């Protein structure tokens, strides 16, 4: 009977015993006392202690960039006989021997599911991308460690192992333990160090795949030999295993793919309930078969992962169904059990510690120097080769699985098991600092795949970024998309940029029915716009305004989850299958906008750097940041639907929180403002304002206080008004927002630039470009003096909203000194969080604080 089958039988025996009194703690029961009739109580206590211990340790260890497996093993050692097991009564109360079968069964189920995920994670396409270097490194990283590991096994056997254990089996097992690389931990380390997009990361990942597969085959061979009573039995076990693998990977995989197509799972990119049921049954049936033939249940789960197709994100979606439950609950139990079996007190003499150090040295040097030499031979420099050698020496999860298999098979005793656990911990802890030492960020080179993928550039795109002057029209925009909720805001802003000639219909059909605000506020024109037939207006406008190009950047967060790692390796196909990119590309096609797309899978902290690189590579003139609106709520009074204010969460007026009230998201936007070398437009879409679609255009109200941001807003507004469906009102106010500590020279320079720009647009001139000439008739300029500019501004904004025509939508654009904001809030506003003025500017925060119901467009001029 296999190990998995024995655990099931033990648990069945426990649950079959007579039931005790059911009164519980009310009847005086002690929940910490193990009861065979109700093992759930002690199981829950054990789970809570295990998960809490690991979470506390991982919080501290993550700060020194150590993988989670280190916390899991150390947590087990602390809870085991080495530390807390020395407390009288602790083990008998919390981890009694009678309760261990249930905990073992739970951990084995988790391990089977984890190995299924590992099998899913293995993508042989990675090897093909860098076949020569990855194959060389993988082979070198197996041959030398296996040889030295076998030699080390001879000394260990003579010193520590009972002669009753077969010498050949022990040497083979020791060689596998020394030679194997922990592929799952390797993926997490590459993610944490941001190496997945580098050449080193891609090659190590590919080499790790080959190393991992060969290591599991050798481990299966070791277990089969140990469990066999004689050589003939071992041969039958191996033949049965080979036959099972062939059936599983060829006819079995074809049948699985056929069923996935028939159920529509591959087409949808997500498994149906039937496919999830079939997959779960398949995993456990495979585990059952490999267990009963004498290998181990985990190999069945690993092989089942190879059957799952990776097309259309199906494998990613399947992993997302399992990974959190496995990584948070099941897997920690298994590795804590490893720690419970580890007794560092057994390492009680110099010879034992000497051999422990020798194990560490042999395991590291054999892997490091073999992979270093192979990397150098295939063209890597010494830094890259050192990083590759350090990464390939990682042990972690797989090593501990191997050790537990050896312990349960009787090849290892507690002392040798503890020695190998120490070596696994030491080598895994060393991996991150050694990699950073050899390969710091300034020496890294990016690989073309798999993390950053872009379409072939359009012939109309430029190759370099350059500043745009006041006389020029911005035609190249970088649009950032990281959530599907941002699509409405992105489409609204793109339609504002669209010229009348780009539309397939009249200007009125181009405008959206969405209320908008800019970062600078605007009024209704003081005089009507001269009427002109739509067709003549479009024909005239087509000759004046160049076509807009939008370089969309789809950002996907790279986390430590397995699904995110798989997604990063499949970024190339995701670019063409991602629904957000597809929807926006279709929107651009229908509206005659030139849309190119790029996709980047990076960590959340790296989003600003990815945007900055995209802007530089695409030569974009301005970055467009859409900020998604909140969900529409239904008023209980009268059943009216009203747009949910995305800033309500800041004022605690609703229980719904969204991104705009998020401190984390505000910090993300501020980092973009600080790091991106281009003009930036942050658009906050406030939702539908009630207008009929196509009934009117956009009206923009902008207060001009002065300063670089306001000058950018004014020139950008002139470009927007080149669209026949957009009108604007601009009011100059007595203020100046020049940055830094202003002195006489900087203030004079800023005021001069403000006056020149204002005079240029308010004074008739034949020197204007055709686009400006077309835009100015739809713009109204005025001057408003006030001792309290923000108060006047908010009054004007609310007046615009109250008197707005049903055929017009409103946009506001803003900026003013913070002292005015504090005074306004103290008199009439609601208290706001400190991140709001830092993100939206003082004028934007003023409109939010006074509950002005319009959208915002926040503009920041480039500091480059």
């Amino acid at each position: 009977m296999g190990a998995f089958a024995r655990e099931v039988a033990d648990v069945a025996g426990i649950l079959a015993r007579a039931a005790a009194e059911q009164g519980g703690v009310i009847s005086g029961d002690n929940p910490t006392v193990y009861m065979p009739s109700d093992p759930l109580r002690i199981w829950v206590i054990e789970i809570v202690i295990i998960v809490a211990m690991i979470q506390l340790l991982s919080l501290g260890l993550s700060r020194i960039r150590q993988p989670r497996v280190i916390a899991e093993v150390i947590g087990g050692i602390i809870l085991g006989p080495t530390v807390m097991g020395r407390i009288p009564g602790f083990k008998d109360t919390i981890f009694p021997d009678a309760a261990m079968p249930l905990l073992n069964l739970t951990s084995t189920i988790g391990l089977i599911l984890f190995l299924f995920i590992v099998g899913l994670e293995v993508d042989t396409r990675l090897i093909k991308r860098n076949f020569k270097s990855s194959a060389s490194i993988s082979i070198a990283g197996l041959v030398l460690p296996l040889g030295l590991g076998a030699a080390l096994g001879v000394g260990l056997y003579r010193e520590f192992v009972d002669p009753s254990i077969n010498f050949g089996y022990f040497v083979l097992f020791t060689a596998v333990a020394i030679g194997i690389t922990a592929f799952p931990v390797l993926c997490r380390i590459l993610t944490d160090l941001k190496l997945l997009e580098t050449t080193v990361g891609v090659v190590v990942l590919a080499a790790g795949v080959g190393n991992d597969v060969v290591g599991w085959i050798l481990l299966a061979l070791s277990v089969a030999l140990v469990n066999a009573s004689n050589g003939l039995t071992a041969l039958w076990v191996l033949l049965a295993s080979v036959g099972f693998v062939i059936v599983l990977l060829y006819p079995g995989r074809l049948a699985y793919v056929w069923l996935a197509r028939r159920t529509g799972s591959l087409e949808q990119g997500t498994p149906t309930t039937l496919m999830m049921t079939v997959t779960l049954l398949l995993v456990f049936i495979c585990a059952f078969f490999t267990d009963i033939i004498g290998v181990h249940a985990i190999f069945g789960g690993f092989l089942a992962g190879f059957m799952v197709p990776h097309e259309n994100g199906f494998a990613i979606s399947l992993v997302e169904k399992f990974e959190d439950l496995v990584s948070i609950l099941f897997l920690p139990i298994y590795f804590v059990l490893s720690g419970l079996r580890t007794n560092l007190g057994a390492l009680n003499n110099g010879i034992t510690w000497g051999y422990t150090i020798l194990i560490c040295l042999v395991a590291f040097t054999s892997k490091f120097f073999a992979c270093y030499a192979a990397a150098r031979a295939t063209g890597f420099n010494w830094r890259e080769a050192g990083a590759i050698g350090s990464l390939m020496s990682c042990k972690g999860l797989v090593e501990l699985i191997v050790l537990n298999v050896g312990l349960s098979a009787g090849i290892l005793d507690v002392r040798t098991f503890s020695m190998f656990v120490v070596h696994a911990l030491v080598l895994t802890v060393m991996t991150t600092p050694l990699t950073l030492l050899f390969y710091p960020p300034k020496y890294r080179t990016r690989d073309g795949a798999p993390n950053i993928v872009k379409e072939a550039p359009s012939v109309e795109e430029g190759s370099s970024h350059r500043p745009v002057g006041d006389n020029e029209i911005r035609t190249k925009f970088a649009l950032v998309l990281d959530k599907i909720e941002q699509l409405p805001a992105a489409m609204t802003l793109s339609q504002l940029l669209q010229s009348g000639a780009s539309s397939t219909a009249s200007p009125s059909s181009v405008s959206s029915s969405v209320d908008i605000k800019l970062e600078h506020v605007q009024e209704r024109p003081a005089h009507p716009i001269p009427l002109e037939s739509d067709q003549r207006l479009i024909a005239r406008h087509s000759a004046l305004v160049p076509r807009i190009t939008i370089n969309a950047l789809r950002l996907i967060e790279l986390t430590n989850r397995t699904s995110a790692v798989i997604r990063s390796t499949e970024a190339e196909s995701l670019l063409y299958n991602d629904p957000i990119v597809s929807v926006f590309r279709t929107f651009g096609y229908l509206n005659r906008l030139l849309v190119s797309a790029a996709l980047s899978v990076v960590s959340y902290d790296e989003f600003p750097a990815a945007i900055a690189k995209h802007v530089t590579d695409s030569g974009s003139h301005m970055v467009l940041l859409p900020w998604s609106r909140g969900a529409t709520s239904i008023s209980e009074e009268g059943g009216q639907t009203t747009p949910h204010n995305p800033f309500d969460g800041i004022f605690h007026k609703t229980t719904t929180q969204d991104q705009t009230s998020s401190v984390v998201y505000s910090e993300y936007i501020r980092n973009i403002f600080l790091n991106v070398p281009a003009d930036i437009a942050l658009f906050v879409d406030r939702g539908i304002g009630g207008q009929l679609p196509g009934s009117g255009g956009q009206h923009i109200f902008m207060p001009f206080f002065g300063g670089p941001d306001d000058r950018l807003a004014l020139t950008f507004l002139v470009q927007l008004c080149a669209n026949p469906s957009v009108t604007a009102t601009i009011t100059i106010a007595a203020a100046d927002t020049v940055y830094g500590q202003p002195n006489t020279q900087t203030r004079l320079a800023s005021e001069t630039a403000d006056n020149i720009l204002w005079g240029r647009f308010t004074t008739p001139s034949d020197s204007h470009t055709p686009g400006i000439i077309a835009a100015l008739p739809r713009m109204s300029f005025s001057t408003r003096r006030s001792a309290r500019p923000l108060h006047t501004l908010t009054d004007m904004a609310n007046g615009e909203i109250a008197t707005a025509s049903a055929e017009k939508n409103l946009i506001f654009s803003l900026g003013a000194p913070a002292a005015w904001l504090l005074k306004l809030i103290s008199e009439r506003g609601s208290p706001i969080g400190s991140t709001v003025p830092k993100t939206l500017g003082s004028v934007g925060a003023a409109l939010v604080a006074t509950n002005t119901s319009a959208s915002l467009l926040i503009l920041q001029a480039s500091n480059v």
Side-chain angles (χ1 to χ4, degrees):
M1 183 181 293
F4 184 48
R6 285 195 300 271
E7 290 171 4
V8 173
D10 290 342
V11 173
I14 291 172
L15 298 178
R17 296 175 186 173
E21 183 182 354
Q22 298 298 312
V25 293
I26 297 176
S27 300
D29 285 351
N30 183 355
T32 62
V33 175
Y34 174 70
M35 298 176 59
S37 61
D38 191 6
L40 178 66
R41 300 178 182 181
I42 192 66
W43 185 83
V44 171
I45 293 173
E46 291 169 343
I47 293 300
V48 170
I49 291 174
I50 289 171
V51 173
M53 173 68 74
I54 290 172
Q55 289 297 328
L56 286 174
L57 289 172
S58 62
L59 285 175
L61 291 170
S62 63
R63 295 183 179 276
I64 56 175
R65 310 183 82 167
Q66 292 300 323
R68 183 181 172 88
V69 64
I70 298 298
E72 292 168 344
V73 178
I74 292 177
I77 292 174
I78 293 174
L79 293 173
T82 304
V83 183
M84 299 188 71
R86 297 179 181 273
I87 301 174
F90 176 82
K91 183 182 183 303
D92 294 335
T93 303
I94 304 301
F95 298 103
D97 293 336
M100 296 310 289
L102 185 60
L103 204 60
N104 279 320
L105 177 61
T106 307
S107 68
T108 303
I109 291 173
L111 189 62
I112 291 169
L113 292 175
F114 173 72
L115 265 295
F116 170 68
I117 294 174
V118 171
L120 272 172
E121 204 170 5
V122 173
D123 189 353
T124 55
R125 292 175 297 181
L126 287 173
I127 301 177
K128 298 176 183 177
R129 289 176 181 166
N130 299 274
F131 178 77
K132 180 182 177 182
S133 54
S134 60
S136 301
I137 293 168
S138 182
I139 293 171
L142 274 173
V143 173
L144 184 60
L146 288 174
L148 292 180
L152 178 64
V154 175
L156 289 172
Y157 182 86
R158 292 175 177 172
E159 187 68 36
F160 300 106
V161 180
D162 192 295
S164 62
I165 303 296
N166 185 285
F167 173 75
Y169 296 167
F170 180 83
V171 169
L172 177 60
F173 180 84
T174 305
V176 173
I178 295 295
I180 203 164
T181 294
F183 179 72
V185 176
L186 184 62
C187 290
R188 276 55 177 187
I189 291 176
L190 290 173
T191 301
D192 183 60
L193 299 183
K194 303 176 180 62
L195 289 173
L196 277 176
E197 72 275 14
T198 65
T199 305
V200 166
V202 173
V203 170
V204 167
L205 208 59
V209 169
N211 203 302
D212 196 52
V213 172
V214 175
W216 284 113
I217 293 173
L218 291 175
L219 179 60
L221 174 64
S222 303
V223 175
L225 290 173
V226 171
N227 290 336
S229 57
N230 54 59
L232 184 60
T233 303
L235 178 61
W236 282 112
V237 170
L238 292 177
L239 290 176
S241 301
V242 172
F244 180 65
V245 170
I246 293 173
V247 170
L248 207 62
L249 297 186
Y250 291 97
R253 189 177 192 277
L254 291 175
Y256 185 88
V257 173
W258 175 84
L259 184 60
R261 294 188 189 279
R262 290 286 295 176
T263 59
S265 298
L266 273 185
E267 181 182 353
Q268 299 169 10
T270 182
T272 62
T273 303
L274 175 61
M275 281 307 300
M276 283 299 300
T277 304
V278 170
T279 303
L280 275 172
L281 289 176
L282 180 67
V283 171
F284 288 113
I285 289 172
C286 291
F288 173 76
F289 182 82
T290 55
D291 187 58
I292 62 174
I293 65 173
V295 185
H296 197 287
I298 62 175
F299 296 104
F302 181 69
L303 291 172
F306 281 89
M307 298 179 63
V308 179
H310 285 243
E311 286 83 355
N312 199 27
F314 178 78
I316 297 172
S317 181
L318 194 61
V319 170
E320 289 174 338
K321 307 286 185 181
F322 291 103
E323 58 184 344
D324 282 344
L325 183 64
V326 172
S327 62
I328 294 174
L329 179 62
F330 286 132
L331 202 58
I333 298 174
Y334 183 85
F335 293 109
V336 166
L337 286 176
S338 300
L340 292 174
R341 296 165 183 155
T342 303
N343 185 6
L344 298 184
L347 311 182
N348 54 6
N349 56 57
I351 294 178
T352 304
W353 278 108
Y355 268 96
T356 303
I357 295 172
L358 182 62
I359 292 172
C360 295
L361 289 174
V362 170
F364 175 75
T365 56
S366 61
K367 275 283 186 181
F368 178 85
F369 287 110
C371 295
Y372 178 91
R376 291 287 285 165
T378 53
F380 290 94
N381 62 44
W382 71 271
R383 286 190 176 275
E384 293 171 331
I388 290 172
S390 302
L391 289 164
M392 290 297 290
S393 65
C394 176
K395 297 297 180 183
L397 292 172
V398 178
E399 173 75 7
L400 293 168
I401 293 172
V402 171
L403 296 178
N404 278 280
V405 170
L407 183 64
S408 62
I411 298 176
L412 299 178
D413 58 17
V414 173
R415 180 164 57 175
T416 52
F417 175 82
S418 301
M419 292 164 64
F420 276 100
V421 167
V422 170
H423 125 268
L425 280 174
V426 170
L427 264 63
T428 306
V429 168
M430 288 170 52
T431 303
T432 296
L434 271 178
T435 304
L436 290 174
L437 177 65
F438 280 108
Y439 203 45
K442 63 181 179 179
Y443 293 107
R444 296 175 185 176
T445 56
R446 303 176 80 87
D447 187 78
N451 279 73
I452 300 177
V453 183
K454 60 182 69 179
E455 298 173 326
S458 166
V459 294
E460 299 186 29
E461 293 185 30
S463 58
S464 61
H465 171 74
R466 62 183 180 84
V468 177
D470 292 340
N471 291 318
E472 298 181 63
I473 293 177
R474 291 166 176 80
T475 59
K476 299 176 67 176
F477 296 88
L479 175 67
V480 179
L481 296 170
D482 64 283
K483 292 181 174 62
I484 196 168
E485 293 84 359
Q486 293 174 344
L487 279 175
M491 292 176 180
T492 300
L493 185 54
S494 300
Q495 213 159 21
L496 283 177
L497 297 170
Q498 184 182 18
S499 67
S502 300
S503 178
T504 59
S506 64
S508 62
S509 66
V510 174
S511 64
S512 69
S513 59
V514 180
D515 286 343
I516 308 167
K517 284 186 204 166
L518 273 169
E519 217 285 89
H520 291 280
V521 186
Q522 312 161 344
E523 287 183 1
R524 185 182 315 283
H527 52 79
I529 300 174
L531 296 177
E532 194 171 355
S533 73
D534 290 345
Q535 297 300 324
R536 288 176 56 200
L537 197 58
I538 293 174
R540 176 182 169 212
H541 189 66
S542 63
L544 303 179
V545 180
R547 196 172 181 186
I548 298 297
T549 298
I550 296 180
N551 304 301
L553 174 62
R554 171 73 167 104
L555 292 174
I556 298 178
E557 183 179 1
L558 179 61
T559 65
N560 285 327
R561 285 184 166 91
T562 301
S563 57
V565 176
I566 298 176
R567 188 176 282 112
S568 71
T569 63
E570 299 181 4
E572 188 172 354
S573 61
L574 283 177
L575 177 63
Y576 300 99
N577 297 319
D578 184 75
I580 298 178
V581 174
S582 299
V583 168
F584 191 80
R585 189 188 286 115
T586 302
F587 167 81
Y589 172 78
L590 294 175
N591 289 275
R592 299 185 180 180
L593 294 169
L594 291 175
V595 176
S596 64
L599 186 142
S600 181
V601 185
V602 293
S603 64
Y604 190 79
D605 293 338
E606 293 293 302
F607 275 14
I611 295 170
K613 186 177 186 303
H614 177 71
V615 169
T616 303
D617 293 345
S618 63
S620 299
H621 303 147
M622 178 178 282
V623 178
L624 306 179
L625 292 176
W627 201 338
S628 57
R629 62 177 183 262
T632 301
S633 59
I634 299 178
S635 174
E636 296 182 1
E637 293 83 9
Q640 300 293 321
T641 60
T642 58
H644 171 69
N645 184 344
F647 295 96
D648 280 350
I650 298 175
F651 308 125
H652 307 289
K653 294 185 177 180
T654 70
T655 56
T656 303
Q657 296 286 328
D658 64 5
Q659 293 183 48
T660 50
S661 60
S662 168
V663 175
V664 174
Y665 199 77
S666 296
E667 288 296 327
Y668 156 67
I669 291 174
R670 291 173 60 198
N671 284 333
I672 294 175
F673 284 161
L674 290 172
N675 297 313
V676 174
D679 299 333
I680 300 173
L682 169 65
F683 180 69
V684 184
D685 186 359
R686 304 295 289 279
I688 304 300
Q691 289 83 357
L692 296 174
S695 62
Q698 307 284 2
H699 183 70
I700 303 176
F701 174 58
M702 170 184 168
F704 186 86
F705 290 95
D709 290 348
D710 284 35
R711 292 194 291 271
L712 169 65
L714 181 56
T715 56
F716 187 56
L717 177 57
V718 172
Q719 177 173 342
L720 295 181
C721 287
N723 187 326
S725 65
V726 178
T727 60
T729 299
I730 303 96
T731 298
I732 192 169
D736 191 286
T737 56
V738 64
Y739 295 113
Q741 295 297 326
N743 52 40
T744 302
Q745 183 178 359
T746 56
R747 184 174 295 279
L748 180 61
S750 180
E751 290 178 354
T752 301
D754 294 341
N755 293 333
I756 291 174
L757 186 65
W758 183 266
R760 179 167 164 262
F761 292 136
T762 56
T763 304
S765 174
D766 295 332
S767 62
H768 289 319
T769 63
I772 295 177
I773 294 173
L776 289 179
R778 288 183 285 275
M779 303 176 68
S780 174
F781 296 85
S782 63
T783 301
R784 187 73 59 90
R785 298 284 177 178
S786 174
R788 303 195 303 172
L790 279 188
H791 293 70
T792 303
L793 165 64
T794 54
D795 292 340
M796 293 170 63
N798 289 317
E800 282 287 326
I801 294 171
T803 60
S805 166
E807 297 182 352
K808 293 291 183 182
N809 302 311
L810 294 174
I811 301 174
F812 289 85
S813 171
L814 327 161
W820 299 346
L821 176 63
L822 296 176
K823 188 173 182 180
L824 176 72
I825 292 174
S826 65
E827 293 183 10
R828 65 169 80 166
S830 304
I832 60 175
S834 60
T835 60
V836 178
K838 293 177 182 178
T839 306
L840 304 182
S842 297
V843 182
L847 290 181
V848 171
T850 54
N851 298 316
T852 303
S853 57
S855 299
L856 300 170
L857 179 58
I858 316 298
L859 291 164
Q860 175 179 283
S862 172
N863 54 9
V864 178

